[in-house]
Amino acid sequence: MTFALAGTLLVLALVDSTSFGTLLIPIWFLLAPGRVPVGRMLVFLGTVAAFYLGVGVALLFGMGALLDQLNGLTENPVFLRAQLVLGVGLLVWSFFIGKPRKDADGTRAPGRLTRWRERALGQQGTRTGLGGLVTLALAAAMVEVATMLPYLGAIGLLGTSGLSVPEQVGALAVYCLVMVLPALVLLAGRLVAHRLVDPLLQRIARWMEKSGGEMTAWIVGILGFLIARDAVARMPELLDFLDGLG
C-alpha cells in the first residue's frame, strides 16, 4: 500500500468517525450519570464496526462483478434520465433534511438524535438489554450507511488499488477500527480524567446534535448535485437543448 493511499484512507476514516453512530451516541453513553457504561459502549461500537466491515467486504467483493454487469448500461438513455431524476431528487430532498418536526400541539418533536439517545441510555422508560443494544447499533449503522460517502469512497479506492484480497480486507478492518477510535479515546479519557473530559464531551454533544441534520443535508445535496451533473454531462441532446435556450 502506498503512503498516499494509506493517508487518504486515514483521513476518510476520521471523517466517518464523527457521525452520530460512531461518536454522538457513545458520547451520550459517557455522559450518563453514575458509572461509565464501558461494556455497553464497547458492545455498541463493536457492533457498528463489525457491520460496516461486513458491508465493506460485501461491496468490495461484489464490485468487480457488478461493474461487469453494468458495463454499457450507464450509457443507456433511460438509465441517464433515471440518474438525472435521482440526482435532482436528492438535491431537493437535502433542503428538507434536518428541519425540526412539530407535534400536533405545535411543540417541537424530539429529533432522530434525541430518540437514539433515549433508547441507547434507557431513558423515557425504555430498557435496552444486550440484544436490544446490538439491534440499536445495527439500526444506527443502517440509517447512516447510505450517506457515509467517505466510506464508500474508501471502498472504491481499495477496489482499484491493485492490493491482494487479504490486504484489502485488512485495510478495511483497520479503517473500521480508526472509525471508532475517537470514541474509544474519549472512553479512556472519561475513565482516567472525567473532570477534564466531561466539559469537552458536553460541548461535542451539543455541537453534533445542533449541526448533525445540517451536515447530513450538505452531504445528500452534494451527492445529488454530482449525480445530476454526471448525467447531464453524458446527455448531449440535453446540453444542445440548454445551449439553444441560451
Side-chain angles (χ1 to χ4, degrees), residues 36 38 186-194:
V36 178
V38 178
L186 290 175
L187 171 61
R190 177 68 170 77
L191 290 173
V192 300
H194 68 92

Side-chain angles (χ1 to χ4, degrees), residues 101-118:
R101 299 183 300 111
K102 293 187 177 180
D103 290 327
D105 59 0
T107 60
R108 181 171 177 174
R112 185 182 70 183
L113 297 180
T114 301
R115 296 194 299 272
W116 284 118
R117 177 181 61 186
E118 291 173 353

Side-chain angles (χ1 to χ4, degrees), residues 139-190:
M142 285 187 287
V143 166
E144 285 195 306
V145 70
T147 56
M148 293 190 75
L149 301 184
Y151 187 60
L152 299 179
I155 294 172
L157 289 174
L158 288 173
T160 59
S161 63
L163 297 175
S164 66
V165 171
E167 289 175 328
Q168 292 182 39
V169 174
L172 204 57
V174 173
Y175 184 102
C176 292
L177 177 61
V178 173
M179 195 169 62
V180 299
L181 186 59
L184 294 175
V185 171
L186 290 175
L187 171 61
R190 177 68 170 77

